Amino acid sequence: MNDPEISPSMAAQLALALPRGMGAGMLYLAVQHEFTQRLLDSQLRPVIMQAIAQHPNAGSIDNFAVLVDTDVSEELEAEAQAYEQQSAREQQHENLHTGSSGSSRAAASSLDSAESAHQERDSDAHAEAGFVPSGAASHSGAATQRNYASPPTTAPKSEESFHLNDQYRFDSFVIGQSNSFAHAAAVAVAESPAKSYNPLFIYGDSGLGKTHLLHAIGHYAMELFHGLRVRYVSSEDFTNDFINSIANNQGPQFQQRYRSVDILLVDDIQFLKGKAETQEAFFHTFNSLVGQNKQIVITSDVSPAQLKGFEDRMLSRFSSGLTTDIQVPDLETRIAILRKKCQRENIVVDPEILELIASKLNSNIRELEGSLNRVRAYASLNDQPIDLHVAQTVLKDIVSLDENEILPTDIVGVVANYFNLSVDDLYGQSRIQEIAFARQIAMYLCRDLTPLSLPKIGQLFGGRDHSTVIYAHKKITQLIAERRSVYNQVAELTSKLKHNSA
């Protein structure tokens, strides 16, 4: 296949794209203007994808995303100069060797040029904060390279000593509407510790992926920076370490353990509630790390404003960086999570079975994957294929199936009663805001809690088109992510429906 042809002006625009990092098979590029973003995303996409495929350092990258950053004018000027110098050298080479040019080769060269300038720029920026990426040359001109924050006489610790779970990485994290912002913030923190968001506070219900993101930050940051000292700790382990340090008179060792790291990952901070002395120790650890320009990432089941049993000075520090939440994944994301698990473990499961499991378990990811494990185990122990009958047999002990099915009419009745409306209001054509909002929530619940197809849900609500149901589901999903009040309403309605069907 011939290489896609691009004009010199397009090649110049391509050279202005700045690499911002890689994660989960994605290359992130930044441009200054929306025009350039649209150009790269549309006309230049085939060229960039071909260049990525041919690039020797592309690795597992299989896609790219273009972001608009209006503050990169100085960086763009440096990139443009680098590109012009590279282009001039290539032109001289092409004049001597005709027939060796191609659009995809030009795109790859421009990516090389941008990558080179980007690495040099990042090395300068990270050096100011003590960060030197893996393989980056020292700007002092010395032949040896300096490991990030690593004592000169101590070799970097193994990942096992950092208590990181090898299965929790960005490439195994399934991104959906419920967690996309938290994922993006986690990647940014790993790529620029203590420079993007410090602290990063991630909250959400149990089993939604908070711990996964913590470990993924540690793994990715250690891949980017040699000698990086990362420590993952649960609040329970932190408490036990503190108590043992007092009992064994090892206060200095405790302080050294937690205040000499470059990234501290603290899981389930809510369990420090009411533990005044442990909170005091963590307070001083927090201040010490921030004062040293070190990164802190914290998870909790609620936002800082809703944490109980903490002093105001602690809560204000938790809120001083970026706070983001993870919501319950929608049906499509739950199915994608199960598919990812099947791919990772090299097992084949019929899509209908995955959809059945995903439709019946919507509380958290642990239960979702645990149910798939039970289905697999049952089939293996009984020497049976993983079919629909096996899945139904196993799941009936975990969740309510046909005999306790949540009916669409039950959803309509409960929603109408919740909002002090009549059932006819939800079935009718009224566009009054209160009624329309309640109707959209009912459609959302029908989509997530029943096996009805989109057209059938539309027919239920006054013969509406399936596109109306899609719009309602997307809108409520977005509102759940943006407004805690809507999230609480949907959660309360879901709880009522499950309780009534039990």
Side-chain angles (χ1 to χ4, degrees):
M1 184 179 70
N2 293 331
D3 291 335
E5 293 296 334
I6 58 175
S7 65
S9 61
M10 286 188 178
Q13 292 287 342
L14 177 61
L16 299 181
L18 304 182
R20 286 305 198 201
M22 298 176 292
M26 181 80 71
L27 169 67
Y28 294 93
L29 305 174
V31 297
Q32 187 179 15
H33 303 292
E34 291 185 3
F35 168 78
T36 310
Q37 180 193 40
R38 291 194 299 269
L39 186 66
L40 268 62
D41 255 339
S42 55
Q43 297 182 51
L44 289 178
R45 175 166 284 276
V47 177
I48 298 175
M49 291 303 300
Q50 185 170 347
I52 291 175
Q54 296 176 349
H55 199 284
N57 297 325
S60 61
I61 299 175
D62 53 19
N63 203 353
F64 71 93
V66 185
L67 310 174
V68 175
D69 185 350
T70 57
D71 298 326
V72 299
S73 56
E74 295 182 1
E75 302 174 34
L76 286 170
E77 182 178 353
E79 298 289 3
Q81 291 176 355
Y83 172 73
E84 290 173 358
Q85 295 172 0
Q86 180 71 13
S87 297
R89 289 192 295 268
E90 289 178 357
Q91 188 61 49
Q92 293 175 357
H93 180 75
E94 290 174 2
N95 290 339
L96 295 174
H97 304 276
T98 60
S100 61
S101 63
S103 302
S104 61
R105 190 174 302 147
S109 297
S110 65
L111 286 175
D112 281 333
S113 176
E115 178 183 291
S116 176
H118 177 64
Q119 290 175 349
E120 181 177 354
R121 181 183 64 254
D122 277 356
S123 296
D124 292 335
H126 288 305
E128 295 176 2
F131 292 99
V132 175
S134 173
S138 170
H139 286 274
S140 65
T144 59
Q145 67 179 45
R146 177 173 62 87
N147 288 340
Y148 169 74
S150 178
T153 58
T154 305
K157 298 179 180 179
S158 65
E159 291 193 8
E160 287 75 14
S161 66
F162 299 130
H163 309 293
L164 295 179
N165 188 326
D166 193 58
Q167 294 183 357
Y168 291 159
R169 296 178 178 269
F170 283 129
D171 58 4
S172 61
F173 188 86
V174 178
I175 305 171
Q177 292 183 350
S178 60
N179 59 25
S180 58
F181 186 75
H183 171 268
V187 172
V189 162
E191 293 180 339
S192 300
K195 296 179 72 67
S196 298
Y197 315 109
N198 198 22
L200 174 61
F201 193 102
I202 305 173
Y203 70 95
D205 291 336
S206 176
L208 297 182
K210 303 186 300 296
T211 300
H212 191 141
L213 285 180
L214 280 186
H215 289 266
I217 289 171
H219 284 302
Y220 188 31
M222 290 172 65
E223 292 171 0
L224 293 176
F225 305 100
H226 272 313
L228 190 74
R229 292 172 295 186
V230 178
R231 177 170 290 276
Y232 165 86
V233 64
S234 67
S235 60
E236 181 181 1
D237 287 341
F238 184 89
T239 300
N240 291 335
D241 277 356
F242 176 66
I243 293 173
N244 291 333
S245 71
I246 295 176
N248 300 320
N249 194 26
Q250 294 180 340
Q253 291 89 330
F254 173 83
Q255 294 179 3
Q256 173 68 16
R257 186 179 307 124
Y258 288 99
R259 300 183 190 182
S260 63
V261 299
D262 303 303
I263 300 179
L264 179 62
L265 309 167
V266 184
D267 210 358
D268 290 326
I269 195 70
Q270 73 273 7
F271 291 125
L272 293 186
K273 173 184 177 181
K275 301 174 181 176
E277 294 298 325
T278 306
Q279 285 188 30
E280 184 75 14
F282 183 74
F283 175 79
H284 292 297
T285 298
F286 186 104
N287 289 341
S288 175
L289 291 174
V290 172
Q292 299 175 65
N293 200 30
K294 307 301 184 183
Q295 179 70 50
I296 301 174
V297 185
I298 301 170
T299 70
S300 171
D301 61 348
V302 295
S303 67
Q306 295 177 310
L307 275 175
K308 305 298 182 182
F310 288 79
E311 295 183 6
D312 290 341
R313 61 175 183 170
M314 291 281 287
L315 299 180
S316 66
R317 281 163 173 77
F318 293 163
S319 304
S320 61
L322 175 66
T323 299
T324 179
D325 68 341
I326 297 180
Q327 301 284 352
V328 175
D330 56 24
L331 177 62
E332 288 75 13
T333 303
R334 297 198 298 273
I335 294 174
I337 290 171
L338 293 177
R339 286 176 178 170
K340 188 84 170 182
K341 180 178 176 63
C342 291
Q343 293 172 0
R344 186 170 63 247
E345 299 181 6
N346 296 318
I347 61 174
V348 178
V349 179
D350 190 277
E352 185 179 4
I353 297 175
L354 298 182
E355 185 170 353
L356 172 66
I357 297 173
S359 65
K360 299 302 178 182
L361 292 114
N362 55 12
S363 57
N364 67 64
I365 297 170
R366 292 195 191 104
E367 290 184 1
L368 189 69
E369 294 186 336
S371 297
L372 178 59
N373 288 336
R374 288 189 61 175
V375 171
R376 289 177 56 198
Y378 182 92
S380 176
L381 292 172
N382 291 279
D383 197 21
Q384 296 179 9
I386 302 177
D387 56 22
L388 195 59
H389 174 72
V390 168
Q392 290 174 336
T393 301
V394 175
L395 293 178
K396 71 179 182 180
D397 296 328
I398 308 173
V399 295
S400 299
L401 287 172
D402 297 341
E403 64 272 15
N404 291 322
E405 196 76 69
I406 296 177
L407 301 176
T409 51
D410 294 336
I411 293 175
V412 175
V414 169
V415 172
N417 183 65
Y418 184 88
F419 289 100
N420 295 318
L421 301 171
S422 69
V423 171
D424 290 338
D425 287 333
L426 299 187
Y427 287 145
Q429 302 299 319
S430 175
R431 296 187 179 181
I432 297 175
Q433 183 175 358
E434 292 79 6
I435 296 177
F437 175 70
R439 184 185 297 125
Q440 288 171 341
I441 284 187
M443 289 181 176
Y444 171 89
L445 292 172
C446 284
R447 176 62 172 157
D448 273 16
L449 301 180
T450 75
L452 285 183
S453 64
L454 293 172
K456 288 184 178 180
I457 295 175
Q459 292 173 8
L460 177 67
F461 289 89
R464 287 177 166 82
D465 187 79
H466 75 280
S467 61
T468 303
V469 182
I470 294 176
Y471 173 79
H473 191 273
K474 287 185 177 179
K475 182 177 180 180
I476 297 302
T477 300
Q478 181 179 357
L479 290 177
I480 287 174
E482 296 175 352
R483 300 181 188 176
R484 177 59 62 174
S485 60
V486 177
Y487 171 82
N488 291 337
Q489 288 174 330
V490 172
E492 186 175 350
L493 285 167
T494 302
S495 177
K496 286 179 179 291
L497 290 164
K498 288 188 174 183
H499 178 75
N500 293 343
S501 67

